[in-house]
Amino acid sequence: MDAYDAQLIEQKWQRVWEDEQAFHVGDDVEGPRFYMLEMLPYPSGSLHMGHVLNYTLGDVVTHFHRRNGDAVLRPMGFDSFGLPAENAAIKEGGHPLEITERSIASITSQMRRMGWAIDWQREVSAHEPTYYRWTQWLFLKFFEHGLIYRKEASVNWCPNDQTVLANEHVVEGRCWRCGAVVEARKMAQWFFKITAYADALLADLATIDWPERTKKIQTSWIGRSEGAELLFRVDELDIDIPVFTTRPDTVFGATFFVVAPESPLVDRLSESEEVRSYARIAAARPTEEREQREKTGVFTGRHATNPANGAQIPIWVADYVLMDYGTGAIMAVPAHDDRDRAFAEAFDLPIVPVIDDDGRLINSAEFDGRPAGEAKGEIVAWLSDRARGKQAINFRLRDWSFSRQRYWGAPIPIVYCDACGIVPVPEDELPLLLPEVADYRPKGQPPLASNEEFMNVPCPRCGGPGRREADTMDTFVDSSWYFLRYCDPANDKAPFDRAHVNAWMPIDQYIGGIDHAKGHLLYSRFFVKALNDFGMLDFREPFQRLFHQGWVRLGGKRMSKSQGGVSPTELVDQFGADAIRIYILFQGPADQDIDWTPDGIEATARFLRRFWRVVHEAAEQQASPAGVDTPLARKAHETIARVTDDIGRRFVFNTPIAAVMELINELSKAPHDPAARFAAETAVSLLQPYTPHVCEELWGVLGHSRLLDEPWPVADETLLVRETVQLVVQVNGKVRDRFDVPAGLPEDELVARARASEKVQSFLDGEEPRVIVVPDKLVNLVI
Ligand SMILES: [Zn+2]
Ligand SMILES: [Zn+2]
């Protein structure tokens, strides 16, 4: 027996798989298909441990499904436009293209050394003209369908990155990338009309298998609320100002009116420099500060008419009202709204209660005495008869601003012409190549604007002088459709062929960070719905099943790039890829954060050496007879059942490793058992998705070949007899049922069985209980 040499074994098998293109999957495959995808990386710098976790997880799923008979599509690409690559280039002092391509080459070679089962023939990178040609083409499609428009708006400006940010990328008033406090600026920007799909984005969440917390994040971000739109008249200006409210029952208590400082109404309402300068300064404050600090505001000198009682109420501009909500103006009801009350108290404005302690209306004319809940609809109907209001639905979601004042992105295919206005670049002129510029660093003005040769073009419509759009597209546009391109990566007639995407999509399993819940995961859903409406594909959701991996932490801090001593490359050099792969998944449930410790990997490397030795010893034994029944054989069948259930049904990846370790342990205690070889084969076969190199080598030692394509083992049910234990089921601590279950069932299975009991159900009353589990003994359901 040779000593275990990870480097030798891994290089050997990686070469074999590469020569065979083992993980390439064609378009004409037969039988069931499985599309496995992890979010693609930004190529800035090199791979970090977070990537190692994400892609190893996807790798186990890939191998598991391949060996269970699916044709698995598992591609890889690079989100290579955008700030991370560009900022890395600025820091290192090179050109973004050069640095991006260098990073891609380095990450690719690291990925190959990890032995991940990737179909490299389908690789795409967002910065390549063969890709962004089609991003631009899709821009034109969305534009043609009225789902893209340009407008002057108050936008989020990151003073550090010198560019506009989408609402989704402002976290507590700060830029999500660099942490700078975001400012408000008025600029003409390009928007995707994602709000046209607000209802569909909400409703279709019910059709996909996503974590509940992610659905909640999207649901509250879309923020649908039912209420009414009421019209407040400003007689002096002869205008009606609409407000959205979820509380039309309190309209009689509206004693003043507030406009957000960034609202275009401010300039119409007042010419006073005091009002305008307040608005300018207040609009630039971070949202968080505006919502929490002491109330500030200024009276415009104008009044609006309360549509319910005709009262003339003062109009203020105040920064506690945000442009994001409703129409950017509110009716203030200080008696029944905390923030309105704080403002009224600060500025000595009247407070009129309109609901009494019993929840009935008061001070509300003919509606006095009506229960507030019922009065809502009645008051809206009454105002509607007077053309002063109507029922309305409001969404918190805003259109997606996607133009960026930066260099490293896909140019927007638009020409401005004095005679024709906004003119799209003709399809046959794509790709509109990203030109060279003398200086690509951000300076507030888009860098492309300084390239006169690029900027000055004849208008495609009238031939007169035209000027190109100088902004580029946000990289989140690129990543909203990359998973479709993987299905048809070489197509030069269209972004993708409909039959090709229909054959693979929707993605069966998507894996990526929950930090993309409001951005990428929402944008991609919008893209797919719109493309479905354009007739380009036959499905409405991109990601059927979604899983969020946890973060890898070092000393309590989340790792997002390689940090001292934990560069994946150095670890591969020292321990081999298999040791890192198994280590990263062994640390705990993959959806929770894990702490990186240097001794952990040593222990994993020791286990692999032991595994190597024990399997070699078993290989010297006679082949195990079919149906062999010994305690070791039973242990092997039980391990098959556990690992299959954990990966396949429960989507848990750490416990299978422990199960195989236990089996190896049992095998080492009974090296001459008639089932020794069978146990060794089983361990090697089950561990293959985690450590494919050493397992392929050991499979050969055991006298077989191509474990990669070996069908997944199936447990012999007749050898799975387990001990039984009595499970006690309590509801709120009282015993309500008891029955026998097999010993060693996982907790969620115990809970499922407890809840399935009819006796128990009658005490639950359909409520969702909290659960307390004592394994093999007790389930207590608490409601
Ligand atoms: Zn920033
Ligand atoms: Zn023109």
Side-chain angles (χ1 to χ4, degrees):
M1 176 181 66
D2 295 328
Y4 170 49
D5 184 338
Q7 306 300 338
L8 209 65
I9 293 169
E10 290 174 5
Q11 279 167 28
K12 167 182 162 185
W13 288 108
Q14 284 168 17
R15 201 171 315 122
V16 170
W17 298 332
E18 196 137 319
D19 288 348
E20 291 179 349
Q21 291 291 305
F23 306 111
H24 172 60
V25 49
D27 297 311
D28 48 357
V29 288
E30 310 215 329
R33 296 175 182 226
F34 191 91
Y35 190 171
M36 166 66 231
L37 191 65
E38 303 98 318
M39 290 178 187
L40 81 179
Y42 295 119
S44 57
S46 50
L47 223 54
H48 58 72
M49 292 312 289
H51 292 128
V52 172
L53 172 61
N54 195 10
Y55 299 124
T56 304
L57 197 58
D59 216 50
V60 172
V61 178
T62 299
H63 283 295
F64 181 81
H65 278 272
R66 286 182 93 246
R67 293 185 51 203
N68 275 282
D70 292 337
V72 181
L73 172 60
R74 201 280 190 103
M76 184 59 71
F78 296 95
D79 200 1
S80 46
F81 263 148
L83 287 184
E86 190 171 356
N87 286 344
I90 289 167
K91 214 168 120 198
E92 293 171 38
H95 191 281
L97 174 66
E98 184 194 312
I99 291 202
T100 297
E101 299 201 326
R102 201 196 307 150
S103 289
I104 289 177
S106 141
I107 292 177
T108 305
S109 87
Q110 285 182 299
M111 287 180 162
R112 289 177 189 267
R113 283 196 72 193
M114 290 303 299
W116 289 325
I118 291 165
D119 182 353
W120 286 107
Q121 291 187 31
R122 293 173 182 267
E123 182 184 346
V124 299
S125 292
H127 76 288
E128 284 166 1
T130 48
Y131 185 81
Y132 72 73
R133 168 186 180 184
W134 300 112
T135 306
Q136 292 170 331
W137 187 93
L138 289 168
F139 172 99
L140 297 178
K141 270 277 167 263
F142 277 78
F143 184 74
E144 188 185 307
H145 286 265
L147 290 174
I148 282 181
Y149 64 91
R150 186 171 190 268
K151 85 166 183 204
E152 167 117 352
S154 173
V155 292
N156 314 297
W157 178 262
C158 173
N160 181 49
D161 288 321
Q162 296 275 305
T163 186
V164 167
L165 301 171
N167 290 347
E168 290 77 13
H169 298 123
V170 178
V171 179
E172 288 167 358
R174 290 169 182 274
C175 169
W176 81 320
R177 286 202 193 287
C178 72
V181 172
V182 169
E183 299 165 0
R185 272 205 189 180
K186 235 176 226 177
M187 289 172 70
Q189 288 293 291
W190 287 94
F191 292 86
F192 276 109
K193 202 170 175 184
I194 190 172
T195 53
Y197 285 82
D199 259 326
L201 288 166
L202 205 55
D204 291 351
L205 284 174
T207 67
I208 47 182
D209 183 7
W210 282 24
E212 280 310 314
R213 58 186 170 139
T214 317
K215 289 187 179 184
K216 270 194 194 135
I217 291 172
Q218 289 205 347
T219 301
S220 78
W221 185 251
I222 295 167
R224 181 183 196 275
S225 52
E226 288 182 16
E229 191 178 278
L230 308 181
L231 296 179
F232 283 69
R233 184 157 187 78
V234 183
D235 282 329
E236 298 157 9
L237 299 173
D238 195 22
I239 55 170
D240 282 327
I241 307 180
V243 301
F244 175 81
T245 174
T246 56
R247 296 297 306 276
D249 49 320
T250 63
V251 61
F252 285 89
T255 53
F256 61 101
F257 191 91
V258 188
V259 175
E262 57 272 67
S263 167
L265 279 171
V266 172
D267 285 349
R268 292 189 68 183
L269 287 167
S270 175
E271 284 167 12
S272 133
E273 190 40 43
E274 187 203 348
V275 172
R276 291 186 176 187
S277 93
Y278 168 81
R280 245 189 335 271
I281 295 164
R285 283 187 197 125
T287 306
E288 196 185 14
E289 197 181 305
R290 286 171 58 174
E291 285 178 325
Q292 287 171 6
R293 56 180 273 144
E294 233 176 89
K295 296 281 178 281
T296 68
V298 61
F299 176 47
T300 60
R302 303 276 185 199
H303 290 80
T305 309
N306 181 325
N309 57 15
Q312 290 297 302
I313 61 175
I315 303 177
W316 286 66
V317 179
D319 66 353
Y320 81 98
V321 172
L322 303 174
M323 197 59 209
D324 287 357
Y325 185 76
T327 57
I330 62 152
M331 64 175 205
V333 184
H336 304 290
D337 179 280
D338 291 342
R339 291 184 309 163
D340 294 346
R341 173 179 286 272
F343 191 83
E345 283 170 353
F347 292 95
D348 208 13
L349 293 160
I351 300 174
V352 178
V354 287
I355 299 173
D356 67 13
D357 292 340
D358 300 329
R360 290 177 186 277
L361 294 195
I362 51 173
N363 297 322
S364 298
E366 62 193 271
F367 297 97
D368 281 358
R370 299 288 302 139
E374 293 170 27
K376 268 188 190 178
E378 293 165 7
I379 288 180
V380 176
W382 176 72
L383 288 173
S384 173
D385 286 346
R386 283 154 186 74
R388 298 277 80 199
K390 60 178 188 213
Q391 284 195 339
I393 289 165
N394 183 59
F395 290 95
R396 178 168 180 242
L397 183 69
R398 287 288 170 264
D399 282 337
W400 166 21
S401 93
F402 69 94
S403 38
R404 298 289 173 266
Q405 294 67 50
R406 295 286 297 248
Y407 174 68
W408 195 234
I412 294 175
I414 285 291
V415 173
Y416 299 98
C417 166
D418 283 342
C420 314
I422 292 177
V423 183
V425 170
E427 223 175 281
D428 59 11
E429 288 178 23
L430 301 182
L432 171 58
L433 293 171
L434 182 64
E436 288 301 319
V437 293
D439 183 5
Y440 58 81
R441 281 172 304 182
K443 359 175 215 310
Q445 284 300 313
L448 293 192
S450 65
N451 183 329
E452 287 300 320
E453 201 188 328
F454 172 78
M455 291 300 291
N456 295 314
V457 283
C459 164
R461 197 165 290 158
C462 72
R467 241 180 119 68
R468 287 197 193 281
E469 171 61 65
D471 284 357
T472 53
M473 285 190 240
D474 183 4
T475 180
F476 281 97
V477 182
D478 307 326
S479 60
S480 292
W481 75 281
Y482 76 107
F483 45 87
L484 302 171
R485 184 69 177 173
Y486 284 147
C487 300
D488 194 11
N491 198 326
D492 61 359
K493 306 277 182 298
F496 49 80
D497 172 80
R498 180 180 180 148
H500 282 74
V501 294
N502 286 339
W504 287 108
M505 292 288 297
I507 288 166
D508 295 278
Q509 181 67 60
Y510 198 38
I511 301 179
I514 193 167
D515 48 325
H516 291 289
K518 294 188 295 195
H520 165 65
L521 288 169
L522 199 59
Y523 301 150
S524 301
R525 296 183 60 219
F526 159 61
F527 255 59
V528 161
K529 287 178 194 308
L531 296 176
N532 175 277
D533 286 341
F534 304 165
M536 292 176 64
L537 36 79
D538 290 352
F539 45 92
R540 300 278 296 171
E541 285 289 338
F543 316 124
Q544 190 51 41
R545 206 159 166 242
L546 174 67
F547 181 84
H548 300 300
Q549 82 280 11
W551 290 81
V552 181
R553 293 183 304 208
L554 178 69
K557 265 189 79 182
R558 289 171 163 189
M559 284 194 219
S560 58
K561 46 180 172 282
S562 59
Q563 291 170 348
V566 274
S567 132
T569 308
E570 286 168 30
L571 291 168
V572 174
D573 286 344
Q574 200 179 344
F575 299 101
D578 281 339
I580 298 161
R581 296 171 54 114
I582 195 169
Y583 170 77
I584 200 87
L585 292 180
F586 190 45
Q587 293 315 295
D591 59 351
Q592 283 161 36
D593 290 358
I594 49 178
D595 285 301
W596 175 265
T597 58
D599 357 332
I601 184 120
E602 299 272 4
T604 316
R606 266 199 310 279
F607 163 72
L608 286 178
R609 288 194 294 271
R610 180 154 182 260
F611 177 54
W612 174 262
R613 205 174 56 239
V614 172
V615 171
H616 268 86
E617 282 160 12
E620 283 163 24
Q621 305 296 309
Q622 299 280 325
S624 303
V628 59
D629 182 5
T630 67
L632 182 61
R634 286 178 180 241
K635 180 76 187 173
H637 284 286
E638 189 204 306
T639 310
I640 294 172
R642 277 173 66 185
V643 171
T644 307
D645 189 55
D646 282 353
I647 300 178
R649 187 182 65 85
R650 298 175 62 222
F651 217 68
V652 172
F653 299 88
N654 56 328
T655 47
I657 302 170
V660 174
M661 285 176 169
E662 269 176 46
L663 176 61
I664 291 292
N665 221 13
E666 295 301 312
L667 170 59
S668 70
K669 286 190 236 159
H672 304 294
D673 192 287
R677 257 186 101 117
F678 171 67
E681 284 165 349
T682 300
V684 169
S685 180
L686 294 177
L687 212 54
Q688 181 271 341
Y690 293 85
T691 55
H693 312 89
V694 67
C695 287
E696 193 69 64
E697 185 72 19
L698 288 172
W699 196 243
V701 169
L702 289 163
H704 310 292
S705 65
R706 278 205 81 82
L707 179 54
L708 205 63
D709 297 322
E710 181 73 16
W712 190 250
V714 178
D716 182 342
E717 290 290 328
T718 63
L719 294 176
L720 277 181
V721 268
R722 288 179 185 161
E723 254 184 277
T724 57
V725 290
Q726 189 180 62
L727 182 71
V728 173
V729 185
Q730 298 179 332
V731 178
N732 292 338
K734 288 209 178 80
V735 177
R736 297 301 184 189
D737 199 1
R738 45 181 102 221
F739 47 83
D740 288 345
V741 295
L745 284 186
E747 291 195 6
D748 60 349
E749 181 65 30
L750 290 176
V751 172
R753 292 192 187 207
R755 296 186 61 174
S757 151
E758 275 179 32
K759 287 185 200 163
V760 168
Q761 277 171 5
S762 63
F763 290 98
L764 287 180
D765 256 357
E767 280 190 62
E768 192 57 33
R770 282 187 303 115
V771 294
I772 300 162
V773 181
V774 183
D776 284 347
K777 289 197 176 67
L778 171 96
V779 173
N780 184 9
L781 304 167
V782 183
I783 52 174

